[in-house]
Amino acid sequence: MKFKDQVKFVRRNMKKNRLRVTMTILATTMACAFLIVLASVGFGIQKSIVEEIMDNQVITEVTVHGKSTAAEEGITEKDINEMKEIDHVNAVVTRTHITGHFEAALNDRSGEVWVMTTNMEEELKGNLQLDEGTIATNENEVVVGYHVAQYLLTEKERELLQQHYENPEANQRPVGFTESLLGEKINLQIIQYSEDGEKEEVTSKEYTVVGVWKKPTREWQEDLNIYVSDVSTEELISLAQEHYPTDDVHYSQVYVYVDALENVEGVSETLKEQNYYVYSITDELKSVNMFFTAFKIGLIFVGTVAIVIASIGIFNTMTMAVTERTQEIGIMKAIGADPTVIRKMFLFESAYIGIIGTSIGIIASYGISYLANLVLPLILESTLDGSGPIDFTFTHIPISLVLISATISIGVAIVSGMRPAIKATNINVLSALRREL
């Protein structure tokens, strides 16, 4: 029997029991859609978390926290030069936090700041991104953090800020200095407090603002740093130590910038082999992916249970089909039909049910996924009193999930039809021909 004739035979027999076959296909559709939608939740949450990690961090940045053999001297200039020699390293940025109580003053405005010295040239080679302006090129120029202007307050605004902290709903936060700081001359002051709490300026130096650092990626972060060229490091440390003495003058932050994301892991491993304590985005992604791999396997397993339950319907449908077609099978065997052909016909019928149910289930799951990503954010926004749009992917259906689900669904359907198909090939010809239907 030709394949085309087998298809016609299967379709004709399925039409005879349309209602039963339709309900079996419906069960398969629901089971397949359940598997895909359930697992898509794991894929969606993983996608959202990974995107947030990628958006909120510099993907080619490796943070060096210290060295296990550095003892008290910390990371030295020799260590920095060795890092620069590692393959695929574009830049090594070192920043030194100047210990002390600093304030930036502009006319009648002032605000607390942190002072950080850095190598501006290395910052450019790395991932320096400015909101406006350029880097400091001499010891009298600085780049200010994005939020510094907002905290340059008058005495009246400082009182309003205190009232805002005490009662945020009733008092609006003062906006601070609203114009651009580019070209402005700020007075960087070292402040000390007397025993009775009075603030006094002990020394100061004037700087010209030539750049503003880019806004931090996370909304809750505030950048109140004043970035000074590292040529002023010794001078600032000397001034600060007169009033805030400390022996701990090491690099506060060390960042290694790699040429491409695919090389970050290799550079991280090289640094670890050299006894550095490092952190990179690949470490976080590796942990996240490991967790979600196990999570998705669990969801797929639960969804597979639903498909196995649906396969009971396929088994029942195919068993009834064999029973109802006993005489037809007997006639086919009597005229010389190969038992293998008969078995293939019934397996094809169960696979046909699985393919149709899986196809509809895939289409339905995409529709459900689209609606979930459309409706759930709206529900959460209304629940959270309109705190802002929620950018989160609740479900995501990659092609790999579709292929896995289709393989499981169709495979289980074929296995469910295996026993009835074998039963059909074992039917006795004489008993089948004597049977009255």
Tab-separated table of all heavy atoms in Angstrom, residues 152-178:
chain	number	residue	atom	x	y	z
A	152	LEU	N	23.538	70.591	45.460
A	152	LEU	CA	24.079	71.923	45.736
A	152	LEU	C	22.907	72.796	46.170
A	152	LEU	O	22.143	73.296	45.346
A	152	LEU	CB	24.776	72.492	44.498
A	152	LEU	CG	26.075	71.803	44.075
A	152	LEU	CD1	26.620	72.417	42.790
A	152	LEU	CD2	27.118	71.875	45.198
A	153	LEU	N	22.748	72.979	47.469
A	153	LEU	CA	21.567	73.629	48.024
A	153	LEU	C	21.935	74.904	48.781
A	153	LEU	O	23.031	75.030	49.343
A	153	LEU	CB	20.847	72.671	48.984
A	153	LEU	CG	20.462	71.281	48.433
A	153	LEU	CD1	19.899	70.417	49.559
A	153	LEU	CD2	19.468	71.401	47.300
A	154	THR	N	20.985	75.829	48.804
A	154	THR	CA	21.107	77.000	49.680
A	154	THR	C	20.678	76.592	51.089
A	154	THR	O	20.153	75.491	51.285
A	154	THR	CB	20.211	78.137	49.168
A	154	THR	OG1	18.844	77.706	49.211
A	154	THR	CG2	20.577	78.530	47.742
A	155	GLU	N	20.886	77.458	52.061
A	155	GLU	CA	20.475	77.138	53.428
A	155	GLU	C	18.968	76.937	53.510
A	155	GLU	O	18.486	76.041	54.217
A	155	GLU	CB	20.910	78.261	54.387
A	155	GLU	CG	22.402	78.328	54.636
A	155	GLU	CD	22.925	77.035	55.243
A	155	GLU	OE1	22.215	76.407	56.064
A	155	GLU	OE2	24.056	76.626	54.896
A	156	LYS	N	18.211	77.761	52.778
A	156	LYS	CA	16.757	77.615	52.771
A	156	LYS	C	16.353	76.278	52.175
A	156	LYS	O	15.479	75.569	52.708
A	156	LYS	CB	16.142	78.773	51.964
A	156	LYS	CG	14.620	78.702	51.841
A	156	LYS	CD	13.931	78.796	53.191
A	156	LYS	CE	12.422	78.818	53.044
A	156	LYS	NZ	11.718	78.812	54.356
A	157	GLU	N	16.990	75.893	51.048
A	157	GLU	CA	16.667	74.612	50.403
A	157	GLU	C	17.069	73.435	51.292
A	157	GLU	O	16.417	72.394	51.279
A	157	GLU	CB	17.384	74.515	49.047
A	157	GLU	CG	16.786	75.444	47.993
A	157	GLU	CD	17.582	75.434	46.708
A	157	GLU	OE1	18.795	75.124	46.765
A	157	GLU	OE2	17.011	75.736	45.651
A	158	ARG	N	18.126	73.612	52.075
A	158	ARG	CA	18.548	72.530	52.970
A	158	ARG	C	17.485	72.303	54.060
A	158	ARG	O	17.227	71.173	54.472
A	158	ARG	CB	19.910	72.863	53.564
A	158	ARG	CG	20.569	71.688	54.273
A	158	ARG	CD	22.039	71.915	54.542
A	158	ARG	NE	22.843	71.710	53.335
A	158	ARG	CZ	23.388	72.680	52.605
A	158	ARG	NH1	23.229	73.937	52.951
A	158	ARG	NH2	24.108	72.407	51.531
A	159	GLU	N	16.874	73.386	54.523
A	159	GLU	CA	15.780	73.258	55.482
A	159	GLU	C	14.579	72.557	54.856
A	159	GLU	O	13.940	71.712	55.494
A	159	GLU	CB	15.379	74.648	55.996
A	159	GLU	CG	16.445	75.330	56.843
A	159	GLU	CD	16.032	76.745	57.242
A	159	GLU	OE1	14.879	77.125	56.921
A	159	GLU	OE2	16.848	77.452	57.854
A	160	LEU	N	14.285	72.903	53.596
A	160	LEU	CA	13.181	72.248	52.883
A	160	LEU	C	13.466	70.762	52.662
A	160	LEU	O	12.553	69.930	52.719
A	160	LEU	CB	12.940	72.938	51.533
A	160	LEU	CG	12.435	74.386	51.587
A	160	LEU	CD1	12.377	74.980	50.183
A	160	LEU	CD2	11.053	74.436	52.245
A	161	LEU	N	14.737	70.434	52.404
A	161	LEU	CA	15.116	69.033	52.215
A	161	LEU	C	14.891	68.241	53.501
A	161	LEU	O	14.401	67.109	53.468
A	161	LEU	CB	16.578	68.933	51.782
A	161	LEU	CG	17.122	67.520	51.553
A	161	LEU	CD1	16.367	66.816	50.420
A	161	LEU	CD2	18.619	67.554	51.250
A	162	GLN	N	15.245	68.840	54.636
A	162	GLN	CA	15.033	68.178	55.919
A	162	GLN	C	13.541	67.953	56.168
A	162	GLN	O	13.126	66.891	56.644
A	162	GLN	CB	15.642	69.020	57.041
A	162	GLN	CG	15.576	68.361	58.416
A	162	GLN	CD	16.334	67.051	58.475
A	162	GLN	OE1	17.383	66.893	57.840
A	162	GLN	NE2	15.816	66.085	59.222
A	163	GLN	N	12.725	68.930	55.813
A	163	GLN	CA	11.275	68.786	55.960
A	163	GLN	C	10.742	67.696	55.024
A	163	GLN	O	9.819	66.964	55.381
A	163	GLN	CB	10.586	70.114	55.661
A	163	GLN	CG	10.892	71.213	56.658
A	163	GLN	CD	10.316	72.554	56.239
A	163	GLN	OE1	9.531	72.649	55.291
A	163	GLN	NE2	10.721	73.618	56.946
A	164	HIS	N	11.341	67.610	53.847
A	164	HIS	CA	10.928	66.562	52.901
A	164	HIS	C	11.241	65.177	53.454
A	164	HIS	O	10.431	64.257	53.326
A	164	HIS	CB	11.652	66.770	51.560
A	164	HIS	CG	11.539	65.603	50.621
A	164	HIS	ND1	10.381	65.297	49.928
A	164	HIS	CD2	12.453	64.651	50.278
A	164	HIS	CE1	10.580	64.214	49.198
A	164	HIS	NE2	11.830	63.811	49.390
A	165	TYR	N	12.416	65.018	54.061
A	165	TYR	CA	12.773	63.726	54.656
A	165	TYR	C	11.835	63.357	55.799
A	165	TYR	O	11.490	62.189	55.974
A	165	TYR	CB	14.217	63.770	55.172
A	165	TYR	CG	15.278	63.751	54.089
A	165	TYR	CD1	16.499	64.415	54.257
A	165	TYR	CD2	15.050	63.075	52.890
A	165	TYR	CE1	17.460	64.399	53.268
A	165	TYR	CE2	16.010	63.063	51.891
A	165	TYR	CZ	17.212	63.725	52.083
A	165	TYR	OH	18.159	63.702	51.090
A	166	GLU	N	11.412	64.361	56.555
A	166	GLU	CA	10.531	64.097	57.691
A	166	GLU	C	9.109	63.768	57.257
A	166	GLU	O	8.443	62.942	57.875
A	166	GLU	CB	10.530	65.314	58.632
A	166	GLU	CG	11.873	65.539	59.325
A	166	GLU	CD	11.888	66.845	60.103
A	166	GLU	OE1	10.885	67.593	60.011
A	166	GLU	OE2	12.901	67.115	60.788
A	167	ASN	N	8.652	64.416	56.187
A	167	ASN	CA	7.288	64.183	55.691
A	167	ASN	C	7.287	64.296	54.166
A	167	ASN	O	6.949	65.348	53.601
A	167	ASN	CB	6.322	65.187	56.303
A	167	ASN	CG	4.870	64.824	56.028
A	167	ASN	OD1	4.577	63.909	55.247
A	167	ASN	ND2	3.947	65.538	56.657
A	168	PRO	N	7.671	63.231	53.459
A	168	PRO	CA	7.808	63.286	51.999
A	168	PRO	C	6.504	63.618	51.271
A	168	PRO	O	6.538	64.237	50.196
A	168	PRO	CB	8.286	61.864	51.640
A	168	PRO	CG	8.847	61.313	52.901
A	168	PRO	CD	8.051	61.918	53.996
A	169	GLU	N	5.372	63.204	51.810
A	169	GLU	CA	4.103	63.424	51.128
A	169	GLU	C	3.678	64.893	51.172
A	169	GLU	O	3.074	65.398	50.224
A	169	GLU	CB	3.016	62.546	51.752
A	169	GLU	CG	3.274	61.048	51.578
A	169	GLU	CD	2.166	60.209	52.193
A	169	GLU	OE1	1.230	60.792	52.764
A	169	GLU	OE2	2.263	58.960	52.098
A	170	ALA	N	3.995	65.569	52.249
A	170	ALA	CA	3.553	66.954	52.405
A	170	ALA	C	4.564	67.969	51.879
A	170	ALA	O	4.190	69.104	51.551
A	170	ALA	CB	3.259	67.239	53.877
A	171	ASN	N	5.830	67.569	51.782
A	171	ASN	CA	6.871	68.524	51.382
A	171	ASN	C	7.628	68.019	50.155
A	171	ASN	O	8.117	66.890	50.138
A	171	ASN	CB	7.858	68.737	52.533
A	171	ASN	CG	7.188	69.308	53.774
A	171	ASN	OD1	6.775	70.448	53.804
A	171	ASN	ND2	7.057	68.468	54.802
A	172	GLN	N	7.692	68.865	49.152
A	172	GLN	CA	8.384	68.505	47.917
A	172	GLN	C	9.884	68.669	48.076
A	172	GLN	O	10.361	69.581	48.766
A	172	GLN	CB	7.882	69.380	46.765
A	172	GLN	CG	8.373	68.932	45.408
A	172	GLN	CD	7.729	69.737	44.292
A	172	GLN	OE1	6.977	70.662	44.555
A	172	GLN	NE2	8.034	69.389	43.059
A	173	ARG	N	10.634	67.797	47.435
A	173	ARG	CA	12.090	67.848	47.539
A	173	ARG	C	12.632	68.993	46.699
A	173	ARG	O	12.260	69.167	45.539
A	173	ARG	CB	12.694	66.529	47.033
A	173	ARG	CG	14.187	66.413	47.285
A	173	ARG	CD	14.760	65.216	46.549
A	173	ARG	NE	16.139	65.003	46.896
A	173	ARG	CZ	17.170	65.762	46.488
A	173	ARG	NH1	16.951	66.815	45.720
A	173	ARG	NH2	18.404	65.474	46.857
A	174	PRO	N	13.529	69.829	47.239
A	174	PRO	CA	14.129	70.917	46.447
A	174	PRO	C	14.981	70.341	45.320
A	174	PRO	O	15.610	69.293	45.473
A	174	PRO	CB	14.984	71.673	47.467
A	174	PRO	CG	15.238	70.706	48.576
A	174	PRO	CD	14.021	69.828	48.634
A	175	VAL	N	15.005	71.037	44.200
A	175	VAL	CA	15.663	70.496	42.999
A	175	VAL	C	17.146	70.831	42.944
A	175	VAL	O	17.882	70.276	42.129
A	175	VAL	CB	14.964	71.015	41.725
A	175	VAL	CG1	13.550	70.476	41.641
A	175	VAL	CG2	14.961	72.548	41.687
A	176	GLY	N	17.615	71.740	43.785
A	176	GLY	CA	19.025	72.085	43.775
A	176	GLY	C	19.395	72.990	42.623
A	176	GLY	O	18.582	73.791	42.134
A	177	PHE	N	20.642	72.877	42.156
A	177	PHE	CA	21.140	73.717	41.061
A	177	PHE	C	20.616	73.158	39.743
A	177	PHE	O	20.938	72.029	39.363
A	177	PHE	CB	22.671	73.722	41.080
A	177	PHE	CG	23.291	74.704	40.127
A	177	PHE	CD1	23.264	76.063	40.403
A	177	PHE	CD2	23.900	74.270	38.965
A	177	PHE	CE1	23.841	76.983	39.533
A	177	PHE	CE2	24.477	75.174	38.085
A	177	PHE	CZ	24.449	76.533	38.375
A	178	THR	N	19.800	73.936	39.038
A	178	THR	CA	19.092	73.420	37.857
A	178	THR	C	19.823	73.684	36.538
A	178	THR	O	19.477	73.105	35.514
A	178	THR	CB	17.692	74.039	37.772
A	178	THR	OG1	17.801	75.474	37.769
A	178	THR	CG2	16.843	73.590	38.955
